Amino acid sequence: MELTVNIKRSAPYIFLALIFTAVATACSVNDRPQPIALGKDLCEGCKMAITDGKFGCELITDKGRCLKFDDLSCLFHYIGKNQLDDNRIRKIYVGDYMHPETLLDIRTAGLVLGNDIASPMNGGVAAFSDMAVAKKFALDHKAVLLDSWTRLKPQHHE
């Protein structure tokens, strides 16, 4: 009998805890990278199949929507065309050139820009998790190691 009374008294608190958990879960935005299904996922910009993990990239919106691209040039063209300001972009991930199955946060990746980097849409950018490897790659390919990912952003966003 006493157990029944305690359950009845605590039921509103349990209910509130469940509602709070549901709301918190629904309101949280997943900003983690999602695996790219090579040959199946389409580029949001050019609508071509994403086939090379070294150059695949993702933009996570402020609402948690994951947009996938085959090349950083498509991603930044999409940002410019759709006038996405920084408030609407939660994260950008880029494929690791040395480990194509891995996506890196663009803010921490070593980005190399060069004419000899044959990316799908001729963006010419390779990303590396290891800055020393990025520097060596840039030297070996007569390319430029970018000091900031923002150099790739469309002009009206700077």
Side-chain angles (χ1 to χ4, degrees):
M1 183 84 153
E2 189 175 311
L3 180 61
T4 306
V5 171
N6 286 338
I7 290 175
K8 285 182 179 178
R9 284 187 192 156
S10 59
Y13 299 109
I14 293 171
F15 181 72
L16 285 174
L18 289 173
I19 295 235
F20 177 76
T21 302
V23 168
T25 303
C27 292
S28 66
V29 173
N30 180 5
D31 65 358
R32 294 190 182 132
Q34 296 178 15
I36 295 174
L38 297 178
K40 293 181 182 173
D41 285 338
L42 299 180
C43 175
E44 200 68 37
C46 68
K47 306 301 182 200
M48 293 176 60
I50 302 170
T51 59
D52 193 342
K54 293 186 291 192
F55 301 106
C57 47
E58 297 178 350
L59 181 151
I60 310 295
T61 69
D62 59 335
K63 303 219 186 306
R65 185 168 173 226
C66 178
L67 307 174
K68 297 178 182 185
F69 299 87
D70 62 352
D71 190 317
L72 275 172
S73 65
C74 277
L75 183 145
F76 284 109
H77 179 72
Y78 181 90
I79 289 172
K81 179 180 173 186
N82 292 284
Q83 299 180 349
L84 298 181
D85 63 23
D86 291 342
N87 295 328
R88 293 182 55 202
I89 300 170
R90 192 169 207 54
K91 291 267 189 155
I92 296 175
Y93 293 100
V94 292
D96 186 333
Y97 190 83
M98 302 302 290
H99 308 283
E101 68 285 350
T102 303
L103 290 166
L104 309 169
D105 186 326
I106 197 169
R107 294 173 297 175
T108 59
L111 300 173
V112 177
L113 174 65
N115 292 330
D116 293 341
I117 301 171
S119 62
M121 300 305 286
N122 296 318
V125 178
F128 299 86
S129 60
D130 184 324
M131 196 59 72
V133 173
K135 286 178 185 176
K136 182 175 179 350
F137 184 89
L139 284 173
D140 292 347
H141 291 86
K142 296 181 178 84
V144 177
L145 178 64
L146 299 176
D147 59 348
S148 171
W149 71 273
T150 58
R151 299 245 184 235
L152 300 170
K153 290 171 69 173
Q155 294 291 17
H156 68 278
H157 288 285
E158 295 186 317

